[in-house]
Amino acid sequence: MDKDNPDAPEVEDLVEGRSFYFSCHPGVPCFTACCRQLELELTPYDVLGLKKQLGLNGRRFMERYADIIYSENSAFPRCLLKMNDDQEATCPFLSSEGCQVYEGRPAACRTYPLGRGAWLDKQGNFQTRYVLLKENHCLGFTEEQRQTVSYWLEHQELGDYNSANDHLMTLLYHPMVKAGTRPTLEQGRQYIETLYYLEETRKYVKENIGINMSDKALLNYGIDWLKTRFFSQSPCSFQGRENSGLE
């Protein structure tokens, strides 16, 4: 336990094959307590699932539910879920019965109580590490349901989320970013518009390039285009359109 911060979670390494006990359901006394006092960052793939669940397009979702934060501590703007303006900073999707968007919940909600670290090694290969985040207020750890990392990832349907977010890392932690290059404010805007307003990206790509693809494929395509646009001197495959995010 962190003596300077008694509310900090106890972090335990989850080596391969190790199990843990955890379950979250309405019968647990602290049910939904973890849906308050959050700073929840949303990736483009998170927004993809949430807007589908809510029946909104990307721009409407972002206007209603997201705060876009530009900070010197982050190369690219961050997209944070806009919490309710109440004393507990409650998640806007929380009801007395629980999560109203459970099928489209973000990766962070799906992953808890695990923490996932992912990085690219020197050869450009993805490496991952999982830890168990044991918080004092969470009584889910007193449940007798045994879990393993592999079962939890499958049960929470995290495969597509993790692969999409890993691909995003190739942009956010591009070698030039790690070397100190910082996108301009205009490039930050292009990043948001290209990856978070995906319907507009799809329309532009289909009209101007004649390509139609799945949401996940289009998201990966947009990530690769931004890498070329921001960090390469080679010609871009997209030609400009004002306010499209593909300029």
Side-chain angles (χ1 to χ4, degrees):
M1 179 181 296
D2 187 341
K3 294 180 180 180
D4 296 326
N5 183 8
D7 294 326
E10 179 184 346
V11 180
E12 298 181 8
D13 277 309
L14 287 174
V15 297
E16 186 175 355
R18 182 189 163 188
S19 62
F20 59 96
Y21 288 95
F22 181 82
S23 183
C24 182
H25 55 81
V28 179
C30 64
F31 185 60
T32 74
C34 57
C35 304
R36 298 172 171 85
Q37 301 292 345
L38 293 176
E39 183 178 277
L40 183 59
E41 188 162 353
L42 299 174
T43 68
Y45 199 78
D46 288 332
V47 171
L48 190 60
L50 286 167
K51 68 183 182 63
K52 283 184 177 179
Q53 191 72 20
L54 295 165
L56 300 173
N57 63 33
R59 187 172 291 272
R60 182 64 63 87
F61 174 88
M62 295 286 284
E63 290 171 352
R64 184 171 179 181
Y65 292 111
D67 288 321
I68 300 173
I69 307 298
Y70 291 81
S71 167
E72 293 182 356
N73 297 325
S74 177
F76 289 90
R78 301 169 65 211
C79 174
L80 301 182
L81 181 63
K82 187 182 298 182
M83 298 300 175
N84 288 336
D85 187 16
D86 57 26
Q87 291 183 343
E88 295 184 304
T90 307
C91 174
F93 308 125
L94 182 64
S95 72
S96 57
E97 289 77 33
C99 181
Q100 295 178 300
V101 292
Y102 187 77
E103 294 301 320
R105 66 198 184 283
C109 303
R110 294 171 183 268
T111 306
Y112 185 82
L114 302 184
R116 181 179 188 261
W119 66 95
L120 290 166
D121 63 20
K122 294 181 179 180
Q123 288 71 44
N125 300 313
F126 277 102
Q127 303 294 329
T128 57
R129 173 196 177 203
Y130 288 93
V131 297
L132 188 65
L133 304 172
K134 299 187 71 172
E135 298 181 291
N136 294 331
H137 68 79
C138 182
L139 299 177
F141 295 102
T142 65
E143 297 289 294
E144 296 182 355
Q145 186 168 344
R146 185 187 293 270
Q147 312 281 2
T148 63
V149 172
S150 58
Y151 176 80
W152 189 256
L153 298 182
E154 180 180 358
H155 181 66
Q156 298 297 318
E157 299 179 332
L158 275 159
D160 285 343
Y161 282 82
N162 287 343
S163 62
N165 293 338
D166 285 350
H167 193 64
L168 180 65
M169 283 180 57
T170 64
L171 170 63
L172 301 183
Y173 300 100
H174 188 277
M176 290 184 65
V177 172
K178 294 174 72 174
T181 299
R182 288 295 179 265
T184 64
L185 288 176
E186 175 62 18
Q187 288 174 328
R189 183 189 67 81
Q190 290 180 348
Y191 165 79
I192 294 293
E193 293 198 349
T194 301
L195 303 183
Y196 287 88
Y197 305 154
L198 207 58
E199 295 86 0
E200 298 171 25
T201 302
R202 167 173 283 105
K203 180 180 178 181
Y204 185 78
V205 169
K206 187 174 182 180
E207 289 178 353
N208 291 271
I209 306 176
I211 299 175
N212 195 16
M213 59 188 76
S214 69
D215 286 337
K216 185 177 179 182
L218 182 63
L219 185 58
N220 286 337
Y221 194 64
I223 291 168
D224 290 337
W225 178 79
L226 288 173
K227 286 188 292 186
T228 299
R229 176 75 173 178
F230 296 164
F231 305 121
S232 173
Q233 298 302 315
S234 60
C236 298
S237 59
F238 298 160
Q239 299 301 316
R241 180 171 73 104
E242 185 178 2
N243 297 325
S244 69
L246 299 173
E247 302 183 292

